[in-house]
Amino acid sequence: MRVLTGIQPSGDLHIGNYFGSIKQMVDAQKENDTFAFIANYHAMSSGNGGAELAKLTMQTATDFLSLGIEPQKSTFWVQSDVKEVLELYWLLSAFTPMGLLERAHSYKDKVAKGIHANHALFSYPVLMAADILLYSPDIIPVGKDQIQHVEIARDIAIKFNNKYGDILKIPAFKIEEHVATVPGTDGQKMSKSYKNTVNIFGEEKKQLKTIKKIVTQNVPMEEPKEYENCNVYNMAKLFLNEDECKELQERYRRGGEGHGHFKLYLHDIIWEYFRPYREKREYYQAHQDEVRDILEYGATKAKNIALPMIEKIRSITGIRY
Ligand code: ADP
Ligand code: TRP
């Protein structure tokens, strides 16, 4: 099965990104033909650009390789290295009713938050549709916030196929229910924009400071505590197996320990979980040329799929004359 996803190079990765998207991709590599790219064109739609964008693109590539994307198993590239996606974006625009884009929650939310609405932000889902449809994937693993974008890609593909026949593959999305939304330090969805993240790669002291800020109930040390709605427990369980979860639940029920203890425990398990990935990241940070070579190799593999597809689309749409 072909699985495809895009990642915006928008800053430091957090454990919401990890469980909501990266881990799913890494796991998918075992049995699937995995396609993953850094969506640097998309990042421009929220005002990113210049040297900072170039830096974040390399940082994101480094982070993903460190977290387990394997260039031999997956096709891993930077969106702008396969420019045919922009051509398809235009061709699909002609199959995109304005109303479809006007209904996009993500666009409306961003405008409501005060992001200046430009055309790139508005037409973002069309570029995302091109990202998907150029490579004919079966499945797009996404967090809940991206489902509507995949639905838009499906709508556009159906309209295109209605006119030209069965050219574009209709993609499906997949969300992992138990990690659908990872909570942040304040209990809301973890997100960079809410400043409630626990980052994957940071200094140990900073991580501990963040974890100590997690909002918990005020219950005396000796009393039993509720774990179901505890933000510390809900974050910890992402890293634990069934037995370890039960053990932690027991510690909550038993009383005698405060939330401070559970926070220290949470810090330790997160720090240990990412230790091997941190080591790999140090390697890639010291070998950025290797990262560039991997991306170039990935772009070549992506083009092997994209070029015959765009050629077919050029012919059928009459752009090839
Ligand atoms: P942020 O909200 O921090 O800006 P992004 O929008 O860049 O994160 O998300 C990148 C990927 O990570 C997307 O697939 C998104 O659905 C997933 N993701 C982000 N935050 C979470 C979360 N709290 N829980 C689950 N998945 C998440
Ligand atoms: N919009 C996605 C996000 O913000 C990133 C993305 C761009 C993407 N193109 C894609 C995801 C294609 C899946 C498929 O997370």
Side-chain angles (χ1 to χ4, degrees):
M1 199 123 63
R2 183 170 295 164
V3 178
L4 175 140
T5 196
I7 311 107
Q8 289 209 44
S10 49
D12 295 335
L13 296 171
H14 54 73
I15 63 174
N17 300 140
Y18 183 73
F19 287 102
S21 146
I22 305 166
K23 186 169 184 299
Q24 294 187 51
M25 257 154 61
V26 171
D27 291 347
Q29 292 181 121
K30 285 183 206 133
E31 288 168 13
N32 299 282
D33 183 18
T34 316
F35 280 57
F37 64 91
I38 313 237
N40 58 341
Y41 283 138
H42 274 107
M44 298 191 85
S45 66
S46 343
N48 297 329
E52 182 65 10
L53 177 60
K55 190 183 120 205
L56 282 175
T57 300
M58 281 303 285
Q59 180 186 316
T60 307
T62 303
D63 289 352
F64 272 73
L65 290 170
S66 310
L67 289 166
I69 293 294
E70 294 180 45
Q72 298 303 330
K73 283 190 193 158
S74 288
T75 301
F76 181 56
W77 77 104
V78 177
Q79 186 182 32
S80 61
D81 284 339
V82 184
K83 300 223 176 340
E84 285 69 19
V85 76
L86 291 181
E87 186 175 349
L88 183 57
Y89 161 65
W90 180 255
L91 297 174
L92 295 178
S93 288
F95 292 84
T96 312
M98 292 295 280
L100 195 61
L101 299 181
E102 278 159 0
R103 285 194 294 277
H105 304 304
S106 168
Y107 170 73
K108 287 194 281 192
D109 289 351
K110 284 179 181 159
V111 171
K113 274 188 203 142
I115 292 183
H116 183 64
N118 56 33
H119 179 256
L121 192 67
F122 184 67
S123 64
Y124 177 117
V126 189
L127 180 57
M128 184 156 158
D131 288 329
I132 295 170
L133 301 171
L134 189 56
Y135 300 98
S136 312
D138 301 287
I139 286 187
I140 318 297
V142 287
K144 276 188 186 151
D145 56 327
Q146 294 295 320
I147 292 174
Q148 193 190 21
H149 287 156
V150 181
E151 284 169 348
I152 292 174
R154 288 166 60 96
D155 286 353
I156 295 174
I158 290 168
K159 278 198 184 306
F160 185 96
N161 284 354
N162 279 345
K163 174 154 177 152
Y164 290 118
D166 227 359
I167 304 285
L168 303 175
K169 185 171 183 102
I170 313 297
F173 56 82
K174 176 179 172 233
I175 49 169
E176 296 282 348
E177 272 311 324
H178 66 290
V179 288
T181 304
V182 175
T185 51
D186 55 359
Q188 285 190 85
K189 172 188 184 262
M190 183 176 289
S191 170
K192 272 188 299 291
S193 30
Y194 301 148
K195 301 203 180 345
N196 62 358
T197 62
V198 176
N199 290 344
I200 299 174
F201 297 119
E203 287 167 26
E204 184 165 15
K205 262 195 194 156
K206 214 168 154 193
Q207 181 183 294
L208 186 56
K209 207 170 144 196
T210 306
I211 287 177
K212 283 189 175 163
K213 278 195 299 205
I214 296 177
V215 178
T216 49
Q217 281 183 336
N218 208 352
V219 183
M221 173 101 88
E222 57 285 358
E223 282 182 24
K225 290 166 194 69
E226 252 185 45
Y227 60 83
E228 284 95 341
N229 295 316
C230 175
N231 293 325
V232 176
Y233 175 81
N234 283 330
M235 227 180 262
K237 73 176 183 196
L238 298 164
F239 297 87
L240 300 176
N241 64 33
E242 215 175 302
D243 287 345
E244 290 165 333
C245 266
K246 282 194 186 134
E247 238 169 77
L248 184 57
Q249 290 171 11
E250 186 47 36
R251 283 172 62 185
Y252 271 77
R253 274 194 294 260
R254 211 185 295 140
E257 285 184 279
H259 283 110
H261 294 103
F262 300 136
K263 286 179 179 175
L264 285 181
Y265 173 68
L266 175 64
H267 167 72
D268 285 346
I269 54 179
I270 297 179
W271 192 253
E272 281 314 308
Y273 185 93
F274 290 114
R275 181 184 296 281
Y277 304 115
R278 264 196 309 277
E279 286 166 3
K280 215 160 155 195
R281 186 170 183 258
E282 275 164 29
Y283 172 84
Y284 279 126
Q285 274 178 328
H287 297 84
Q288 290 282 284
D289 283 352
E290 209 173 300
V291 175
R292 286 183 188 279
D293 287 348
I294 289 172
L295 293 173
E296 199 183 315
Y297 170 68
T300 306
K301 285 209 285 182
K303 278 184 200 163
N304 285 340
I305 307 290
L307 296 184
M309 184 62 171
I310 198 78
E311 201 42 58
K312 195 155 105 185
I313 295 171
R314 282 174 190 147
S315 291
I316 197 130
T317 53
I319 287 299
R320 168 81 53 234
Y321 57 92

